[in-house]
Amino acid sequence: MTAPSVTTPAPPPADHRLSPLTGYTRAHWETAADHLLDALQPYATPGLAQYRLPGRTGYSGEQSDGVEGYARSFLLAAFRIAGASRAGEREKLAPLIERYAAGLTAGTDPRHPEHWPAINDRSQTMVEAASVAIALHETRPWLWDQLDGRIRGRVVDWLTDFVGATANDSNWRLFQVVVEEFLASVDAPHSRAEIDAGLARLDDWYRGGGWYTDGDGQKFDYYNAWALHLYPVLWARIAGERADPALTATHRRRLRTFLDTHQYFFGADGAPLHQGRSLTYRYATTAALWAGALTDATPLPPGRTRRLASGALKHFTDHGVPGPDGLLSLGWYHPYLPVTQPYSGPASPYWAAKAFLGLLLPDTHPVWTAIEEPGPVETRDTVLALPGPGWLLHSTAADGIVRLVNHGSDRQAPAPATPSPSPHYSRLAYSTATAPQTPPDDHATTVDHHITVLDAAAESRRQRIHRLATADGGLAASWYTDDGTAPGAAATIATISAVHRAWEIRVHLVHAEAGATVRETGWSLAYDDTPCTVEAGPGWVVARRADGLTSALAGRLGWDGPAVPRDGIVVQATGLNAYGQHSATPALVLPHHPGGTLLLATLVVLTRDPQLTDDTHLLCHGARVRTSPDGGMDLRFPDGHRVRVDPELMTAARERVESGEPRCRL
């Protein structure tokens, strides 16, 4: 299909008095919403019940993809319609109301060629039904209440198939909650037991500190922001007085706690931290920020809420999102399928609609009228320990970059299921300035942020992450097995991470057979045109991008091996990164493991701070790592900052890699 040309609307004038950091106001959000909705019209089916967008079909098929296009854009339209607050504005949106009312009429008519698939156990229509239910509730006076009774009956008939159906045991349980609560609100058949059970399941997944796992296991990512915290808020809006006040208070308290750390997940340039699945939803990462403001469940000043949300919207706008055709593509900045999942169809990115939740707040609300305030990443260096997901966050004000060190999220199915690592979960680190290497064919080869014992094909798989510690002060540890397929390639590896400013020191215990090759990699720098420059020497390597972004890797202990240490290298690749066509990844290689447990230490750096990028010694040569007499480790960062690794943690790590579960539990 040839994409029709789309005229991009002129943005409203920047307001640097109200929004000194982004220039964005409510008018920018309204313009962005209108542009997204207008660009969809050429792809509507004749009855307006589906939107058939160009691109790869999701695994549920073309018809399901078409319904997805309707439902997710209806959610965006609903926020736009319900949030209209200026005189005469809603009248101007009347064609939008008529458009989605017509789609309901056709989509719920079993005799219509565009009718929607039934809601069956674990079907994709469960996801889209939730968006339809929320949109119907938020636009009730202008759409639902104006529908012919027969059409309302058909909508109820379609949604009622959710009652008694089985949803995936994940955030999908909340789709059932909101759909059946909407049915309750219109006196239609529903199951209060199913609503209560779905809400109760959240308690099973809560891990403290505002963090849920998305189903059993260690599945931590942005589904906390755009699902697990969001749907309880939307459910309570539908339920009204039917909602248990104690339960809604619990949800609000957890949301407030979550936002206290979620605010650190956005770089100074507005980029969300690039980790987890479904990243093609992009600025939907901001949905929880608006949900906190909507329910008065946020610790953030209103000017900071808008700054973070507008920063994310502006970041993608500045990077060409949506594209020239006005559509959100399956990708990050540009079309890039490896950032998606098999269920992602051409309209999947329109869950980005959740970012526009703030339009439900009137234009007189402080989030729209307060002066923008900087995000915390812009004002100070920060180190945060997040025990819930098993993460360390460290950010630097000098370059506005946020880095996540991962010792707890892997999205692996619970044992005894066979592990299936994903690059969006299995890496040791993620950031707001880089993306993990993601092979288009989902090949297992790991290029960035991994230490491994290589097999003959230079492949490795980081399996389930088993936690050892996550502590205040910037220290976390975990262990995992590496099941290389070649003889001698299997290994057990424990890693202890300490962070400070732009640096991370990693201490590894690598248990493997003699003669195995050990490789560690650092941050991948993506680019389209000008290649990175490279400096390298014995046991270290630095890659610099044209804009100054720098990735460095330096062996501080154990990398010299039995002979003169090898120079670090940079692994060049094409077509593996969502941020650019080409990428460069620093790597260290130790060709001969001595056998048994090898102790290694590495300094890993990602920075754009000129103080570091212009001084190679300060960047990566000033760190020191030593074993103390009591068996602990003394770590010294290049600026003199020191971190102590207790002997108990070293003992726990060594016991794990050598003989099974550690006797010492931290």
Side-chain angles (χ1 to χ4, degrees):
M1 177 186 296
T2 301
S5 60
V6 174
T7 301
T8 302
D15 185 340
H16 292 292
R17 180 200 61 81
L18 182 64
S19 303
L21 297 161
T22 67
Y24 272 35
T25 64
R26 182 185 176 98
H28 289 82
W29 283 89
E30 293 170 343
T31 299
D34 293 343
H35 179 42
L36 288 171
L37 291 166
D38 289 346
L40 288 171
Q41 291 191 75
Y43 303 95
T45 50
L48 303 177
Q50 299 184 27
Y51 290 83
R52 300 285 183 88
L53 305 184
R56 182 199 67 190
T57 302
Y59 65 25
S60 295
E62 186 180 51
Q63 188 179 23
S64 177
D65 289 347
V67 177
E68 188 173 60
Y70 175 90
R72 299 190 180 198
S73 62
F74 185 22
L75 191 64
L76 176 59
F79 295 154
R80 183 73 176 96
I81 294 163
S85 54
R86 293 187 300 275
E89 185 182 8
R90 194 168 288 111
E91 287 75 9
K92 294 179 180 178
L93 295 173
L96 192 62
I97 298 171
E98 294 168 2
R99 178 170 143 196
Y100 283 92
L104 279 173
T105 302
T108 58
D109 183 352
R111 299 165 297 178
H112 198 283
E114 299 169 25
H115 74 274
W116 298 339
I119 298 171
N120 298 314
D121 290 349
R122 300 184 176 88
S123 64
Q124 182 64 31
T125 44
M126 288 183 163
V127 185
E128 312 321 323
S131 291
V132 170
I134 294 164
L136 287 173
H137 171 76
E138 296 296 346
T139 60
R140 189 180 300 243
W142 311 285
L143 203 162
W144 176 261
D145 290 349
Q146 308 307 316
L147 287 175
D148 180 273
R150 292 171 301 171
I151 300 171
R152 288 202 299 266
R154 293 208 307 260
V155 173
V156 164
D157 289 344
W158 184 70
L159 292 174
T160 302
D161 283 346
F162 222 137
V163 182
T166 300
N168 291 328
D169 196 27
S170 63
N171 66 90
W172 283 42
R173 296 291 295 272
L174 299 177
F175 305 152
Q176 189 162 34
V177 166
V178 297
V179 168
E180 295 200 35
E181 195 63 64
F182 175 77
L183 290 170
S185 75
V186 295
D187 297 322
H190 64 282
S191 168
R192 182 57 55 185
E194 289 180 350
I195 295 171
D196 293 343
L199 292 168
R201 195 71 173 105
L202 270 178
D203 289 337
D204 299 333
W205 300 331
Y206 190 62
R207 297 295 182 264
W211 285 91
Y212 295 99
T213 173
D214 185 17
D216 293 333
Q218 299 185 129
K219 303 172 183 178
F220 301 99
D221 57 17
Y222 283 119
Y223 274 82
N224 273 268
W226 56 49
L228 297 165
H229 281 291
L230 179 63
Y231 283 100
V233 167
L234 297 173
W235 161 76
R237 288 174 64 84
I238 299 171
E241 293 182 354
R242 292 186 302 276
D244 178 356
L247 182 59
T248 57
T250 295
H251 293 158
R252 293 173 67 250
R253 183 173 61 252
R254 291 175 180 175
L255 174 58
R256 179 181 292 272
T257 303
F258 172 73
L259 291 175
D260 201 35
T261 53
H262 184 56
Q263 63 178 315
Y264 290 90
F265 278 65
F266 301 89
D269 63 352
L273 198 143
H274 195 95
Q275 180 272 342
R277 69 189 175 98
S278 302
L279 289 171
T280 194
Y281 303 154
R282 299 176 174 98
Y283 33 71
T285 52
T286 66
L289 298 169
W290 295 120
L294 197 65
T295 57
D296 192 24
T298 178
L300 310 186
R304 187 182 304 167
T305 292
R306 190 175 79 253
R307 185 273 176 273
L308 294 173
S310 292
L313 179 64
K314 184 177 187 297
H315 177 80
F316 284 103
T317 301
D318 291 347
H319 283 79
V321 178
D325 56 3
L327 300 180
L328 296 174
S329 64
L330 283 168
W332 185 247
Y333 298 136
H334 52 79
Y336 186 71
L337 291 179
V339 85
T340 68
Q341 282 67 47
Y343 55 73
S344 303
S348 290
Y350 285 81
W351 243 24
K354 296 178 179 183
F356 294 82
L357 185 71
L359 293 179
L360 292 177
L361 293 161
D363 57 9
T364 56
H365 191 281
V367 293
W368 296 119
T369 61
I371 304 295
E372 271 188 348
E373 297 184 26
V377 171
E378 299 171 87
T379 58
R380 62 187 182 276
D381 293 354
T382 302
V383 174
L384 288 177
L386 303 178
W391 289 341
L392 293 177
L393 277 183
H394 60 122
S395 63
T396 39
D399 54 18
I401 296 174
V402 183
R403 307 156 192 83
L404 179 155
V405 179
N406 176 31
H407 285 279
S409 183
D410 57 18
R411 201 165 182 82
Q412 305 282 9
T418 302
S420 178
S422 161
H424 291 103
Y425 295 91
S426 60
R427 302 296 195 255
L428 279 164
Y430 301 89
S431 86
T432 56
T434 64
Q437 301 288 76
T438 46
D441 58 359
D442 201 27
H443 198 264
T445 297
T446 300
V447 177
D448 62 296
H449 280 306
H450 193 53
I451 181 165
T452 184
V453 174
L454 298 176
D455 65 15
E459 295 182 5
S460 69
R461 290 176 179 268
R462 187 186 188 195
Q463 304 295 6
R464 291 188 183 93
I465 298 173
H466 303 271
R467 305 182 191 193
L468 290 172
T470 308
D472 291 335
L475 198 68
S478 62
W479 65 271
Y480 64 94
T481 57
D482 195 316
D483 66 345
T485 57
T492 305
I493 301 171
T495 297
I496 301 167
S497 295
V499 298
H500 170 65
R501 291 178 60 188
W503 297 293
E504 177 191 358
I505 293 178
R506 295 176 185 163
V507 176
H508 306 288
L509 291 96
V510 183
H511 191 74
E513 295 184 14
T517 297
V518 181
R519 183 188 70 186
E520 182 167 14
T521 51
W523 296 97
S524 288
L525 302 184
Y527 59 93
D528 287 320
D529 301 313
T530 306
C532 295
T533 60
V534 176
E535 290 182 70
W540 64 275
V541 60
V542 177
R544 290 186 178 88
R545 208 166 64 184
D547 64 353
L549 187 65
T550 300
S551 173
L553 198 63
R556 298 291 84 192
L557 186 70
W559 285 97
D560 49 355
V564 177
R566 290 188 173 190
D567 287 358
I569 61 173
V570 167
V571 180
Q572 304 282 352
T574 298
L576 297 186
N577 200 288
Y579 273 47
Q581 180 64 14
H582 309 285
S583 55
T585 310
L588 300 178
V589 177
L590 187 69
H592 300 289
H593 190 294
T597 301
L598 174 65
L599 179 64
L600 298 172
T602 313
L603 182 72
V604 188
V605 194
L606 176 72
T607 185
R608 197 184 276 114
D609 180 358
Q611 182 184 3
L612 299 182
T613 60
D614 295 343
D615 185 341
T616 302
H617 179 79
L618 183 60
L619 180 71
C620 64
H621 294 313
R624 299 289 182 268
V625 177
R626 292 186 173 87
T627 302
S628 58
D630 62 3
M633 301 288 292
D634 294 316
L635 315 181
R636 179 186 181 276
F637 287 86
D639 65 352
H641 179 77
R642 296 178 183 274
V643 172
R644 166 78 169 160
V645 180
D646 291 335
E648 290 83 1
L649 181 54
M650 292 299 298
T651 298
R654 188 175 294 275
E655 286 180 346
R656 177 57 264 175
V657 299
E658 293 180 352
S659 60
E661 290 290 345
R663 291 187 297 274
C664 175
R665 297 187 180 274
L666 303 178

